[in-house]
Amino acid sequence: MQLLSATPSCAKSCSLSPPLFWQKMDRSGEGYKSVDKTQNEERKFLKCFVPPLMAAIVALSPLCNTPVSLGQTMDARKGATLFHRACIGCHDGGGNIIQPGATLFLKDLERNGVDKEEEIYQVTYYGKGRMPGFGENCTPRGQCTFGPRLQEDEIKLLAEFVKSQADRGWPSIETDGE
């Protein structure tokens, strides 16, 4: 019986002979083994070959690779919580109940020149138009919120959150009571 020259390295490392479909039948027709023995060898060979193949598929699958780190996920949740606490009164779902042309939707942010995180941060900190500022050092006094002020890192999280939601089209915002 002759073997094909391409014997996979897995067969060598598992010390198994290649399965029947890699064998050539000799001219007399005697080269095939019994079906039970061949199926056993094929199963053993596949047990050696399939796990590394599946590991490679899983590792390269976009379903298994999270697009963001745990820290970014926590920041997004904190941003959503801050948004619910400080902004949702006027900007529910990304809209604007006070000034309809100043929504948090990407098209309005772009039109109003506030489509980058830094610009969103500045407007949130110091205010603009009818929107009050929430920063600790916001001035002039009449432009700033009468409510609780936000820390700089909180405003940064808010700006990141607003930008990410605008980029995604403002899907519904869910928090788990944080």
Side-chain angles (χ1 to χ4, degrees), residues 4-56:
L4 294 175
S5 60
T7 303
S9 60
C10 181
K12 293 175 186 173
S13 67
C14 291
S15 67
L16 297 172
S17 61
L20 179 63
F21 57 84
W22 286 20
Q23 296 177 356
K24 283 188 176 178
M25 183 173 68
D26 63 11
R27 293 192 185 265
S28 66
E30 301 291 324
Y32 288 111
K33 300 176 184 175
S34 71
V35 173
D36 291 337
K37 188 175 181 181
T38 302
Q39 285 177 347
N40 259 352
E41 286 182 9
E42 286 177 8
R43 283 188 194 119
K44 287 179 187 177
F45 182 77
L46 290 175
K47 280 184 181 179
C48 173
F49 187 68
V50 171
L53 178 63
M54 289 305 294

Side-chain angles (χ1 to χ4, degrees), residues 25-133:
M25 183 173 68
D26 63 11
R27 293 192 185 265
S28 66
E30 301 291 324
Y32 288 111
K33 300 176 184 175
S34 71
V35 173
D36 291 337
K37 188 175 181 181
T38 302
Q39 285 177 347
N40 259 352
E41 286 182 9
E42 286 177 8
R43 283 188 194 119
K44 287 179 187 177
F45 182 77
L46 290 175
K47 280 184 181 179
C48 173
F49 187 68
V50 171
L53 178 63
M54 289 305 294
I57 290 170
V58 168
L60 298 174
S61 170
L63 297 175
C64 296
N65 295 324
T66 57
V68 294
S69 71
L70 180 59
Q72 289 172 318
T73 301
M74 295 306 293
D75 286 349
R77 284 186 176 209
K78 289 177 186 174
T81 300
L82 285 166
F83 186 84
H84 277 277
R85 191 175 76 202
C87 310
I88 203 161
C90 295
H91 294 288
D92 190 17
N96 189 330
I97 63 169
I98 305 293
Q99 194 171 348
T103 71
L104 302 179
F105 294 108
L106 191 57
K107 64 178 175 51
D108 284 341
L109 291 174
E110 289 171 346
R111 188 182 71 244
N112 295 319
V114 192
D115 59 329
K116 295 182 177 50
E117 281 181 33
E118 179 58 33
E119 295 159 344
I120 296 168
Y121 174 90
Q122 292 295 322
V123 169
T124 307
Y125 195 99
Y126 295 107
K128 181 179 180 183
R130 293 183 183 175
M131 177 162 164

